[in-house]
Amino acid sequence: NSQLREYDAIEQEAHGIAFSRGWTLKELDPAIKGMTNMMTRTRLSFGNANSKAAAMMIPGNTRGIIKGYKNLNQFPATDKKVANLAQKLIDFEETNNRQLQGFL
C-alpha cells in the first residue's frame, strides 16, 4: 500500500508538470486496467501471495529502472524537472526491489 501511494504521488507530480506545460498525457485504457487487475487477482489467489506479488513486481520494477536510465541517457539535459522526476522514480523502484527481495 505504501508503494502504491508513492507511485500515485509520482503520477500526480507528472500530471502537474504536464498540465503546467499544456501537454496531454496518454492514459491507460480502462479495459486493460480491468484485465490486468483480474489477472493479478488470479495469480495471487493460491499459495504465498506475498512471495508471488514480489516475484511479479521485481521484473516490472527492473524493466522500469532500465527504461528510466535509457531515457535519462538518451535525453540528458533536456528538462531538469522531468529528469528529476524520472530519477525519483528510478530510485523508488530500486528501493522497492531491495524491499521485495525479503518476500521471495
Side-chain angles (χ1 to χ4, degrees):
N1 285 329
S2 67
Q3 289 178 1
L4 182 58
R5 283 191 300 274
E6 182 66 23
Y7 278 118
D8 286 341
I10 291 170
E11 179 186 23
Q12 290 301 316
E13 192 172 341
H15 280 280
I17 292 170
F19 180 77
S20 71
R21 295 171 184 191
W23 300 344
T24 302
L25 298 179
K26 186 177 175 183
E27 293 293 330
L28 188 61
D29 183 322
I32 292 173
K33 267 186 174 178
M35 289 183 343
T36 301
N37 286 336
M38 188 171 53
M39 206 168 62
T40 301
R41 282 193 303 273
T42 302
R43 285 185 177 177
L44 296 176
S45 59
F46 302 104
N48 183 342
N50 290 336
S51 178
K52 287 181 179 182
M56 289 186 329
M57 290 179 68
I58 289 172
N61 283 345
T62 302
R63 283 190 301 275
I65 292 164
I66 292 167
K67 190 172 184 175
Y69 278 125
K70 281 183 175 182
N71 286 337
L72 283 177
N73 290 331
Q74 187 176 359
F75 310 106
T78 22
D79 189 317
K80 281 292 181 200
K81 257 189 169 177
V82 173
N84 288 340
L85 183 59
Q87 188 62 55
K88 181 178 178 178
L89 178 59
I90 290 168
D91 294 344
F92 176 62
E93 290 184 325
E94 288 175 337
T95 299
N96 286 351
N97 275 355
R98 284 190 296 278
Q99 291 173 347
L100 290 167
Q101 289 173 5
F103 292 97
L104 296 176

